[in-house]
Amino acid sequence: MAIEAWFMQENDEDQRLPHHKNPPEYVSLDQLADLGVLYWNLDPNKYENDPDLNKIRQDRGYSYMDMLDLCPEKVENYDEKLKRFYTEHIHGDEEIRYCLKGSGYFDVRDKDYRWIRILIKAGDLIVLPAGIYHRFTLDTHNYIKLMRLFVGEPVWTAFNRPQEEHPARKGYINSTLGMPLQVS
């Protein structure tokens, strides 16, 4: 089963809605890979002893992991946190998330600064490269359980846009896209 992704219709409706264009414009795994986004589909029921997950972790150096349950009942200041996650930002390191239950959306910018919405659901492991502009929100089910993976000690520092001079952003532009972006 492959991940679902599409170009977003930008509007002021609830951020938790799919925001498909009419007609929908889907994005392939190859198109996501061209942006540096990596994807695996795993069995979320065996994450504790999954040889495929262990191989990915070993091959990519993901030595630290923790769990995150996001829902109104389990997160203090839920609306504020969701708003913060939905603010466009980059990180100095990869963002690695493995969805074990529930669902949500990662939005990433393509090379022309258009939003691509990526639906993640149970079994989806996604890696966003350091320096890619992105944001996250839950869908209308308001629940997701994520495994967060890190290389070494966990660092989760968001640098809100604009960050064109940030070393991770410059590295992303040069290595992944190989060209200057159209800044908008």
Side-chain angles (χ1 to χ4, degrees):
M1 186 146 88
I3 201 163
E4 295 177 56
W6 56 87
F7 286 105
M8 287 182 68
Q9 176 67 47
E10 293 190 51
N11 57 44
D12 294 328
E13 292 180 5
D14 186 341
Q15 70 193 39
R16 299 168 308 137
L17 296 173
H19 292 273
H20 279 285
K21 290 186 170 206
N22 188 8
E25 293 179 48
Y26 290 96
V27 175
S28 71
L29 279 174
D30 288 340
Q31 289 171 288
L32 291 176
D34 288 346
L35 298 173
V37 176
L38 304 178
Y39 169 77
W40 291 266
N41 183 261
L42 304 172
D43 182 349
N45 297 313
K46 64 178 192 176
Y47 73 89
E48 292 180 36
N49 296 301
D50 185 346
D52 294 327
L53 176 60
N54 291 339
K55 181 171 178 6
I56 294 166
R57 289 184 67 182
Q58 182 177 19
D59 290 350
R60 300 190 59 81
Y62 301 150
S63 57
Y64 183 91
M65 74 85 145
D66 65 13
M67 299 292 188
L68 181 63
D69 266 326
L70 281 176
C71 63
E73 299 79 25
K74 294 186 179 184
V75 176
E76 192 172 317
N77 301 318
Y78 172 79
D79 290 328
E80 180 183 310
K81 283 224 166 77
L82 204 56
K83 185 177 179 182
R84 190 175 73 196
F85 293 154
Y86 200 62
T87 301
E88 185 175 2
H89 61 278
I90 66 169
H91 299 289
D93 298 301
E94 291 179 333
E95 181 163 339
I96 309 106
R97 300 294 181 264
Y98 179 20
C99 181
L100 301 175
K101 293 181 182 176
S103 50
Y105 299 114
F106 276 100
D107 300 336
V108 298
R109 293 278 189 186
D110 78 350
K111 64 185 174 89
D112 296 317
Y113 275 83
R114 297 174 296 176
W115 280 118
I116 296 172
R117 175 148 280 191
I118 304 167
L119 171 64
I120 62 165
K121 52 195 175 307
D124 293 336
L125 188 153
I126 188 170
V127 178
L128 303 182
I132 191 172
Y133 281 122
H134 67 282
R135 60 191 182 189
F136 174 79
T137 190
L138 292 177
D139 60 16
T140 55
H141 294 105
N142 280 325
Y143 178 73
I144 195 165
K145 180 176 184 174
L146 295 169
M147 175 187 288
R148 302 187 311 169
L149 297 162
F150 299 90
V151 175
E153 289 299 310
V155 176
W156 194 90
T157 304
F159 300 98
N160 292 345
R161 187 174 175 198
Q163 289 295 326
E164 300 311 313
E165 297 304 314
H166 190 284
R169 181 68 184 160
K170 286 182 172 182
Y172 174 74
I173 290 169
N174 292 331
S175 68
T176 304
L177 301 180
M179 59 184 257
L181 293 176
Q182 301 294 327
V183 178
S184 61

Short mmCIF file of all heavy atoms in Angstrom, two decimals, residues 45-100:
data_model
loop_
_atom_site.label_atom_id
_atom_site.label_comp_id
_atom_site.label_asym_id
_atom_site.label_seq_id
_atom_site.Cartn_x
_atom_site.Cartn_y
_atom_site.Cartn_z
N ASN A 45 1.56 -3.26 13.78
CA ASN A 45 1.25 -4.16 14.89
C ASN A 45 2.47 -4.88 15.42
O ASN A 45 2.41 -5.49 16.49
CB ASN A 45 0.19 -5.17 14.46
CG ASN A 45 -1.11 -4.50 14.10
OD1 ASN A 45 -1.59 -3.64 14.84
ND2 ASN A 45 -1.67 -4.84 12.96
N LYS A 46 3.58 -4.85 14.68
CA LYS A 46 4.77 -5.53 15.17
C LYS A 46 5.98 -4.60 15.29
O LYS A 46 7.11 -5.03 15.20
CB LYS A 46 5.10 -6.74 14.27
CG LYS A 46 5.45 -6.44 12.84
CD LYS A 46 5.79 -7.72 12.09
CE LYS A 46 6.43 -7.41 10.75
NZ LYS A 46 6.86 -8.60 10.05
N TYR A 47 5.71 -3.31 15.54
CA TYR A 47 6.79 -2.32 15.60
C TYR A 47 7.84 -2.63 16.67
O TYR A 47 9.00 -2.26 16.54
CB TYR A 47 6.25 -0.90 15.78
CG TYR A 47 5.70 -0.60 17.15
CD1 TYR A 47 6.53 -0.11 18.15
CD2 TYR A 47 4.36 -0.81 17.44
CE1 TYR A 47 6.03 0.18 19.40
CE2 TYR A 47 3.85 -0.53 18.70
CZ TYR A 47 4.69 -0.04 19.67
OH TYR A 47 4.20 0.24 20.92
N GLU A 48 7.45 -3.33 17.72
CA GLU A 48 8.39 -3.62 18.81
C GLU A 48 9.46 -4.62 18.39
O GLU A 48 10.56 -4.61 18.93
CB GLU A 48 7.65 -4.10 20.05
CG GLU A 48 6.80 -3.01 20.67
CD GLU A 48 6.06 -3.50 21.90
OE1 GLU A 48 6.63 -4.31 22.66
OE2 GLU A 48 4.91 -3.06 22.10
N ASN A 49 9.14 -5.50 17.45
CA ASN A 49 10.09 -6.53 17.00
C ASN A 49 10.10 -6.67 15.49
O ASN A 49 10.17 -7.77 14.96
CB ASN A 49 9.73 -7.89 17.64
CG ASN A 49 9.86 -7.86 19.14
OD1 ASN A 49 10.93 -7.59 19.66
ND2 ASN A 49 8.76 -8.09 19.83
N ASP A 50 10.03 -5.57 14.79
CA ASP A 50 9.95 -5.59 13.33
C ASP A 50 11.35 -5.55 12.72
O ASP A 50 12.06 -4.55 12.84
CB ASP A 50 9.12 -4.40 12.85
CG ASP A 50 8.88 -4.41 11.35
OD1 ASP A 50 9.55 -5.18 10.62
OD2 ASP A 50 8.02 -3.63 10.90
N PRO A 51 11.76 -6.64 12.05
CA PRO A 51 13.10 -6.64 11.44
C PRO A 51 13.26 -5.57 10.36
O PRO A 51 14.35 -5.03 10.18
CB PRO A 51 13.25 -8.05 10.87
CG PRO A 51 11.89 -8.64 10.85
CD PRO A 51 11.06 -7.90 11.85
N ASP A 52 12.18 -5.25 9.64
CA ASP A 52 12.26 -4.20 8.62
C ASP A 52 12.52 -2.83 9.25
O ASP A 52 13.36 -2.06 8.78
CB ASP A 52 10.99 -4.16 7.77
CG ASP A 52 10.81 -5.42 6.94
OD1 ASP A 52 11.82 -6.01 6.51
OD2 ASP A 52 9.65 -5.82 6.73
N LEU A 53 11.79 -2.53 10.33
CA LEU A 53 12.01 -1.27 11.04
C LEU A 53 13.42 -1.25 11.63
O LEU A 53 14.12 -0.23 11.54
CB LEU A 53 10.97 -1.09 12.14
CG LEU A 53 11.14 0.15 13.02
CD1 LEU A 53 11.08 1.43 12.20
CD2 LEU A 53 10.08 0.16 14.12
N ASN A 54 13.84 -2.34 12.21
CA ASN A 54 15.19 -2.40 12.80
C ASN A 54 16.26 -2.17 11.74
O ASN A 54 17.26 -1.48 12.00
CB ASN A 54 15.41 -3.73 13.51
CG ASN A 54 14.57 -3.84 14.77
OD1 ASN A 54 14.13 -2.83 15.33
ND2 ASN A 54 14.31 -5.06 15.20
N LYS A 55 16.06 -2.71 10.55
CA LYS A 55 17.04 -2.52 9.47
C LYS A 55 17.08 -1.05 9.05
O LYS A 55 18.17 -0.48 8.85
CB LYS A 55 16.71 -3.41 8.28
CG LYS A 55 17.72 -3.25 7.14
CD LYS A 55 17.52 -4.28 6.07
CE LYS A 55 18.46 -4.16 4.89
NZ LYS A 55 19.52 -3.23 4.89
N ILE A 56 15.92 -0.43 8.90
CA ILE A 56 15.87 1.00 8.54
C ILE A 56 16.60 1.82 9.61
O ILE A 56 17.43 2.68 9.29
CB ILE A 56 14.41 1.48 8.37
CG1 ILE A 56 13.77 0.80 7.16
CG2 ILE A 56 14.36 3.01 8.25
CD1 ILE A 56 12.26 0.93 7.10
N ARG A 57 16.30 1.54 10.87
CA ARG A 57 16.94 2.27 11.96
C ARG A 57 18.45 2.08 11.93
O ARG A 57 19.21 3.05 12.10
CB ARG A 57 16.37 1.82 13.31
CG ARG A 57 14.93 2.29 13.52
CD ARG A 57 14.43 1.93 14.88
NE ARG A 57 15.18 2.69 15.90
CZ ARG A 57 14.99 2.57 17.20
NH1 ARG A 57 14.08 1.74 17.65
NH2 ARG A 57 15.68 3.28 18.04
N GLN A 58 18.90 0.86 11.73
CA GLN A 58 20.34 0.58 11.70
C GLN A 58 20.99 1.25 10.48
O GLN A 58 22.02 1.92 10.62
CB GLN A 58 20.59 -0.92 11.68
CG GLN A 58 22.07 -1.27 11.70
CD GLN A 58 22.29 -2.77 11.75
OE1 GLN A 58 21.42 -3.56 11.43
NE2 GLN A 58 23.48 -3.16 12.17
N ASP A 59 20.41 1.08 9.31
CA ASP A 59 20.98 1.63 8.08
C ASP A 59 21.07 3.16 8.12
O ASP A 59 22.01 3.74 7.59
CB ASP A 59 20.17 1.22 6.86
CG ASP A 59 20.28 -0.26 6.52
OD1 ASP A 59 21.14 -0.96 7.12
OD2 ASP A 59 19.50 -0.71 5.65
N ARG A 60 20.09 3.81 8.75
CA ARG A 60 20.04 5.27 8.74
C ARG A 60 20.53 5.89 10.05
O ARG A 60 20.54 7.11 10.17
CB ARG A 60 18.63 5.73 8.40
CG ARG A 60 18.20 5.22 6.99
CD ARG A 60 16.94 5.83 6.49
NE ARG A 60 17.01 7.27 6.39
CZ ARG A 60 17.56 7.95 5.38
NH1 ARG A 60 18.11 7.31 4.37
NH2 ARG A 60 17.53 9.27 5.39
N GLY A 61 20.92 5.06 11.01
CA GLY A 61 21.49 5.59 12.25
C GLY A 61 20.48 6.15 13.22
O GLY A 61 20.81 6.99 14.07
N TYR A 62 19.23 5.69 13.16
CA TYR A 62 18.19 6.18 14.07
C TYR A 62 18.31 5.44 15.40
O TYR A 62 17.70 4.39 15.61
CB TYR A 62 16.80 5.98 13.47
CG TYR A 62 16.58 6.67 12.14
CD1 TYR A 62 15.71 6.14 11.20
CD2 TYR A 62 17.25 7.86 11.81
CE1 TYR A 62 15.49 6.77 9.98
CE2 TYR A 62 17.04 8.49 10.59
CZ TYR A 62 16.15 7.93 9.69
OH TYR A 62 15.94 8.55 8.48
N SER A 63 19.07 5.99 16.30
CA SER A 63 19.39 5.30 17.54
C SER A 63 18.44 5.64 18.69
O SER A 63 18.40 4.94 19.69
CB SER A 63 20.82 5.65 17.96
OG SER A 63 20.97 7.06 18.08
N TYR A 64 17.66 6.70 18.55
CA TYR A 64 16.76 7.12 19.62
C TYR A 64 15.33 7.12 19.09
O TYR A 64 15.09 7.50 17.94
CB TYR A 64 17.12 8.52 20.12
CG TYR A 64 16.26 8.98 21.27
CD1 TYR A 64 16.65 8.75 22.58
CD2 TYR A 64 15.05 9.62 21.04
CE1 TYR A 64 15.85 9.15 23.64
CE2 TYR A 64 14.24 10.02 22.10
CZ TYR A 64 14.65 9.78 23.39
OH TYR A 64 13.85 10.18 24.44
N MET A 65 14.41 6.71 19.94
CA MET A 65 12.99 6.78 19.57
C MET A 65 12.15 7.07 20.80
O MET A 65 12.53 6.75 21.92
CB MET A 65 12.53 5.51 18.87
CG MET A 65 12.36 4.32 19.77
SD MET A 65 10.74 4.32 20.52
CE MET A 65 10.40 2.61 20.58
N ASP A 66 11.02 7.72 20.55
CA ASP A 66 10.01 7.89 21.59
C ASP A 66 8.64 7.85 20.93
O ASP A 66 8.54 7.73 19.72
CB ASP A 66 10.24 9.15 22.42
CG ASP A 66 10.09 10.45 21.64
OD1 ASP A 66 9.56 10.43 20.49
OD2 ASP A 66 10.49 11.50 22.15
N MET A 67 7.61 7.90 21.75
CA MET A 67 6.24 7.83 21.25
C MET A 67 5.51 9.13 21.56
O MET A 67 5.78 9.78 22.57
CB MET A 67 5.47 6.69 21.94
CG MET A 67 6.06 5.33 21.70
SD MET A 67 5.88 4.85 19.98
CE MET A 67 6.44 3.17 20.10
N LEU A 68 4.60 9.46 20.69
CA LEU A 68 3.80 10.67 20.85
C LEU A 68 2.36 10.36 20.51
O LEU A 68 2.06 9.90 19.40
CB LEU A 68 4.35 11.76 19.91
CG LEU A 68 3.68 13.12 19.93
CD1 LEU A 68 3.83 13.78 21.30
CD2 LEU A 68 4.29 14.01 18.86
N ASP A 69 1.47 10.54 21.46
CA ASP A 69 0.02 10.42 21.25
C ASP A 69 -0.54 11.83 21.13
O ASP A 69 -0.45 12.61 22.07
CB ASP A 69 -0.65 9.75 22.46
CG ASP A 69 -0.82 8.26 22.30
OD1 ASP A 69 -1.04 7.82 21.17
OD2 ASP A 69 -0.73 7.55 23.32
N LEU A 70 -1.10 12.15 19.98
CA LEU A 70 -1.68 13.47 19.77
C LEU A 70 -3.19 13.35 19.66
O LEU A 70 -3.70 12.75 18.72
CB LEU A 70 -1.15 14.10 18.48
CG LEU A 70 0.23 14.72 18.52
CD1 LEU A 70 0.63 15.20 17.13
CD2 LEU A 70 0.29 15.86 19.51
N CYS A 71 -3.88 13.92 20.64
CA CYS A 71 -5.33 14.02 20.63
C CYS A 71 -5.73 15.00 21.73
O CYS A 71 -4.95 15.25 22.65
CB CYS A 71 -6.00 12.66 20.83
SG CYS A 71 -5.65 11.88 22.41
N PRO A 72 -6.92 15.57 21.65
CA PRO A 72 -7.32 16.57 22.64
C PRO A 72 -7.28 16.06 24.08
O PRO A 72 -6.96 16.81 25.00
CB PRO A 72 -8.75 16.94 22.23
CG PRO A 72 -8.85 16.57 20.80
CD PRO A 72 -7.92 15.40 20.60
N GLU A 73 -7.55 14.77 24.27
CA GLU A 73 -7.61 14.21 25.63
C GLU A 73 -6.23 13.99 26.25
O GLU A 73 -6.12 13.92 27.47
CB GLU A 73 -8.37 12.88 25.63
CG GLU A 73 -9.81 12.96 25.16
CD GLU A 73 -9.94 13.03 23.63
OE1 GLU A 73 -9.05 12.56 22.91
OE2 GLU A 73 -10.96 13.58 23.18
N LYS A 74 -5.20 13.88 25.44
CA LYS A 74 -3.88 13.53 25.96
C LYS A 74 -2.84 14.64 25.88
O LYS A 74 -1.75 14.49 26.42
CB LYS A 74 -3.34 12.30 25.23
CG LYS A 74 -4.15 11.05 25.50
CD LYS A 74 -3.51 9.84 24.88
CE LYS A 74 -4.34 8.60 25.20
NZ LYS A 74 -3.70 7.39 24.72
N VAL A 75 -3.17 15.73 25.19
CA VAL A 75 -2.19 16.79 25.01
C VAL A 75 -2.71 18.08 25.65
O VAL A 75 -3.78 18.57 25.27
CB VAL A 75 -1.89 17.03 23.51
CG1 VAL A 75 -0.96 18.21 23.32
CG2 VAL A 75 -1.31 15.77 22.88
N GLU A 76 -1.95 18.58 26.60
CA GLU A 76 -2.29 19.85 27.23
C GLU A 76 -2.12 20.96 26.19
O GLU A 76 -1.19 20.93 25.39
CB GLU A 76 -1.34 20.10 28.42
CG GLU A 76 -1.79 21.23 29.31
CD GLU A 76 -0.93 21.31 30.56
OE1 GLU A 76 -0.63 20.25 31.14
OE2 GLU A 76 -0.57 22.43 30.91
N ASN A 77 -3.04 21.92 26.20
CA ASN A 77 -3.03 23.02 25.23
C ASN A 77 -3.02 22.49 23.79
O ASN A 77 -2.26 22.95 22.94
CB ASN A 77 -1.83 23.95 25.45
CG ASN A 77 -1.82 24.55 26.83
OD1 ASN A 77 -2.86 24.97 27.34
ND2 ASN A 77 -0.65 24.60 27.44
N TYR A 78 -3.89 21.52 23.54
CA TYR A 78 -3.95 20.82 22.26
C TYR A 78 -4.06 21.78 21.07
O TYR A 78 -3.30 21.68 20.11
CB TYR A 78 -5.13 19.85 22.28
CG TYR A 78 -5.43 19.20 20.96
CD1 TYR A 78 -4.68 18.13 20.50
CD2 TYR A 78 -6.49 19.65 20.16
CE1 TYR A 78 -4.95 17.52 19.28
CE2 TYR A 78 -6.76 19.05 18.94
CZ TYR A 78 -5.99 17.99 18.51
OH TYR A 78 -6.26 17.41 17.31
N ASP A 79 -5.02 22.71 21.12
CA ASP A 79 -5.23 23.62 19.98
C ASP A 79 -3.99 24.47 19.72
O ASP A 79 -3.61 24.69 18.57
CB ASP A 79 -6.45 24.51 20.21
CG ASP A 79 -7.75 23.71 20.15
OD1 ASP A 79 -7.81 22.73 19.38
OD2 ASP A 79 -8.71 24.07 20.86
N GLU A 80 -3.36 24.93 20.78
CA GLU A 80 -2.15 25.74 20.65
C GLU A 80 -1.01 24.92 20.03
O GLU A 80 -0.29 25.39 19.15
CB GLU A 80 -1.73 26.26 22.03
CG GLU A 80 -0.48 27.11 22.02
CD GLU A 80 -0.10 27.53 23.42
OE1 GLU A 80 -0.99 28.03 24.16
OE2 GLU A 80 1.08 27.36 23.79
N LYS A 81 -0.86 23.67 20.48
CA LYS A 81 0.19 22.80 19.93
C LYS A 81 -0.06 22.50 18.45
O LYS A 81 0.86 22.54 17.63
CB LYS A 81 0.26 21.49 20.71
CG LYS A 81 0.97 21.65 22.03
CD LYS A 81 1.93 20.51 22.25
CE LYS A 81 2.88 20.76 23.34
NZ LYS A 81 2.68 20.69 24.65
N LEU A 82 -1.31 22.20 18.11
CA LEU A 82 -1.64 21.91 16.72
C LEU A 82 -1.35 23.13 15.83
O LEU A 82 -0.83 22.99 14.73
CB LEU A 82 -3.10 21.48 16.60
CG LEU A 82 -3.46 20.62 15.39
CD1 LEU A 82 -2.60 19.36 15.31
CD2 LEU A 82 -4.93 20.26 15.41
N LYS A 83 -1.67 24.31 16.34
CA LYS A 83 -1.39 25.53 15.60
C LYS A 83 0.12 25.70 15.40
O LYS A 83 0.57 26.08 14.32
CB LYS A 83 -1.97 26.74 16.34
CG LYS A 83 -1.82 28.03 15.60
CD LYS A 83 -2.47 29.17 16.35
CE LYS A 83 -2.28 30.48 15.59
NZ LYS A 83 -2.85 31.62 16.30
N ARG A 84 0.90 25.38 16.42
CA ARG A 84 2.36 25.50 16.32
C ARG A 84 2.91 24.50 15.29
O ARG A 84 3.78 24.84 14.49
CB ARG A 84 3.01 25.27 17.68
CG ARG A 84 4.50 25.63 17.68
CD ARG A 84 5.09 25.52 19.05
NE ARG A 84 5.21 24.10 19.37
CZ ARG A 84 5.39 23.63 20.57
NH1 ARG A 84 5.48 24.43 21.60
NH2 ARG A 84 5.49 22.33 20.77
N PHE A 85 2.41 23.26 15.30
CA PHE A 85 2.85 22.26 14.34
C PHE A 85 2.51 22.68 12.90
O PHE A 85 3.19 22.30 11.96
CB PHE A 85 2.22 20.89 14.59
CG PHE A 85 2.63 20.23 15.87
CD1 PHE A 85 1.78 19.32 16.47
CD2 PHE A 85 3.85 20.48 16.46
CE1 PHE A 85 2.15 18.67 17.64
CE2 PHE A 85 4.23 19.84 17.64
CZ PHE A 85 3.37 18.93 18.23
N TYR A 86 1.42 23.47 12.74
CA TYR A 86 0.95 23.85 11.42
C TYR A 86 1.63 25.11 10.90
O TYR A 86 1.40 25.52 9.78
CB TYR A 86 -0.58 24.03 11.43
CG TYR A 86 -1.20 23.94 10.06
CD1 TYR A 86 -1.13 22.78 9.30
CD2 TYR A 86 -1.88 25.02 9.52
CE1 TYR A 86 -1.70 22.70 8.04
CE2 TYR A 86 -2.47 24.95 8.26
CZ TYR A 86 -2.37 23.79 7.53
OH TYR A 86 -2.95 23.72 6.29
N THR A 87 2.48 25.72 11.69
CA THR A 87 3.26 26.87 11.23
C THR A 87 4.40 26.35 10.36
O THR A 87 5.14 25.45 10.75
CB THR A 87 3.82 27.66 12.44
OG1 THR A 87 2.72 28.09 13.25
CG2 THR A 87 4.63 28.85 11.98
N GLU A 88 4.54 26.92 9.18
CA GLU A 88 5.56 26.47 8.23
C GLU A 88 6.95 26.67 8.81
O GLU A 88 7.29 27.74 9.31
CB GLU A 88 5.41 27.27 6.93
CG GLU A 88 6.32 26.81 5.83
CD GLU A 88 6.06 27.55 4.53
OE1 GLU A 88 5.20 28.45 4.48
OE2 GLU A 88 6.74 27.20 3.55
N HIS A 89 7.77 25.59 8.73
CA HIS A 89 9.09 25.63 9.35
C HIS A 89 10.03 24.62 8.70
O HIS A 89 9.61 23.84 7.85
CB HIS A 89 8.97 25.34 10.86
CG HIS A 89 8.40 24.00 11.18
ND1 HIS A 89 7.05 23.74 11.18
CD2 HIS A 89 8.99 22.81 11.48
CE1 HIS A 89 6.84 22.47 11.49
NE2 HIS A 89 8.00 21.87 11.66
N ILE A 90 11.27 24.66 9.13
CA ILE A 90 12.27 23.66 8.76
C ILE A 90 12.91 23.15 10.05
O ILE A 90 12.71 23.72 11.12
CB ILE A 90 13.38 24.21 7.82
CG1 ILE A 90 14.23 25.27 8.54
CG2 ILE A 90 12.80 24.74 6.53
CD1 ILE A 90 15.50 25.66 7.79
N HIS A 91 13.70 22.09 9.91
CA HIS A 91 14.53 21.59 11.01
C HIS A 91 15.95 21.45 10.49
O HIS A 91 16.17 21.28 9.28
CB HIS A 91 14.06 20.21 11.49
CG HIS A 91 12.67 20.22 12.03
ND1 HIS A 91 12.33 20.80 13.23
CD2 HIS A 91 11.52 19.70 11.53
CE1 HIS A 91 11.04 20.64 13.44
NE2 HIS A 91 10.53 19.99 12.42
N GLY A 92 16.90 21.46 11.40
CA GLY A 92 18.30 21.26 11.05
C GLY A 92 18.63 19.80 10.80
O GLY A 92 19.71 19.49 10.31
N ASP A 93 17.71 18.91 11.16
CA ASP A 93 17.90 17.46 10.99
C ASP A 93 16.66 16.89 10.31
O ASP A 93 15.62 17.54 10.24
CB ASP A 93 18.09 16.78 12.35
CG ASP A 93 19.33 17.28 13.07
OD1 ASP A 93 20.42 17.13 12.51
OD2 ASP A 93 19.18 17.80 14.19
N GLU A 94 16.76 15.64 9.88
CA GLU A 94 15.60 14.96 9.32
C GLU A 94 14.48 14.89 10.35
O GLU A 94 14.73 14.82 11.55
CB GLU A 94 15.94 13.51 8.95
CG GLU A 94 16.88 13.33 7.81
CD GLU A 94 17.18 11.86 7.54
OE1 GLU A 94 17.09 11.02 8.47
OE2 GLU A 94 17.50 11.55 6.39
N GLU A 95 13.25 14.87 9.86
CA GLU A 95 12.10 14.59 10.72
C GLU A 95 11.59 13.22 10.32
O GLU A 95 11.18 13.02 9.18
CB GLU A 95 11.01 15.65 10.56
CG GLU A 95 9.83 15.39 11.46
CD GLU A 95 8.93 16.60 11.64
OE1 GLU A 95 9.37 17.74 11.43
OE2 GLU A 95 7.77 16.37 12.01
N ILE A 96 11.65 12.27 11.26
CA ILE A 96 11.29 10.88 10.99
C ILE A 96 10.09 10.52 11.85
O ILE A 96 10.17 10.59 13.08
CB ILE A 96 12.47 9.92 11.31
CG1 ILE A 96 13.75 10.38 10.62
CG2 ILE A 96 12.12 8.50 10.87
CD1 ILE A 96 14.75 10.99 11.57
N ARG A 97 9.00 10.13 11.21
CA ARG A 97 7.79 9.78 11.93
C ARG A 97 7.22 8.48 11.37
O ARG A 97 7.10 8.30 10.17
CB ARG A 97 6.74 10.88 11.82
CG ARG A 97 7.18 12.23 12.36
CD ARG A 97 7.41 12.18 13.86
NE ARG A 97 7.80 13.46 14.40
CZ ARG A 97 9.04 13.84 14.62
NH1 ARG A 97 10.04 13.03 14.33
NH2 ARG A 97 9.31 15.01 15.15
N TYR A 98 6.85 7.60 12.31
CA TYR A 98 6.24 6.32 11.97
C TYR A 98 4.86 6.31 12.62
O TYR A 98 4.75 6.36 13.84
CB TYR A 98 7.12 5.19 12.50
CG TYR A 98 6.62 3.78 12.24
CD1 TYR A 98 5.69 3.48 11.25
CD2 TYR A 98 7.10 2.73 13.01
CE1 TYR A 98 5.26 2.18 11.04
CE2 TYR A 98 6.68 1.43 12.80
CZ TYR A 98 5.76 1.16 11.82
OH TYR A 98 5.34 -0.13 11.60
N CYS A 99 3.82 6.26 11.80
CA CYS A 99 2.45 6.28 12.31
C CYS A 99 2.04 4.88 12.73
O CYS A 99 2.04 3.95 11.92
CB CYS A 99 1.51 6.82 11.23
SG CYS A 99 -0.21 6.90 11.78
N LEU A 100 1.69 4.73 14.01
CA LEU A 100 1.27 3.44 14.54
C LEU A 100 -0.25 3.30 14.62
O LEU A 100 -0.78 2.21 14.48
CB LEU A 100 1.88 3.23 15.92
CG LEU A 100 3.41 3.28 15.95
CD1 LEU A 100 3.92 3.18 17.37
CD2 LEU A 100 4.00 2.19 15.07
#
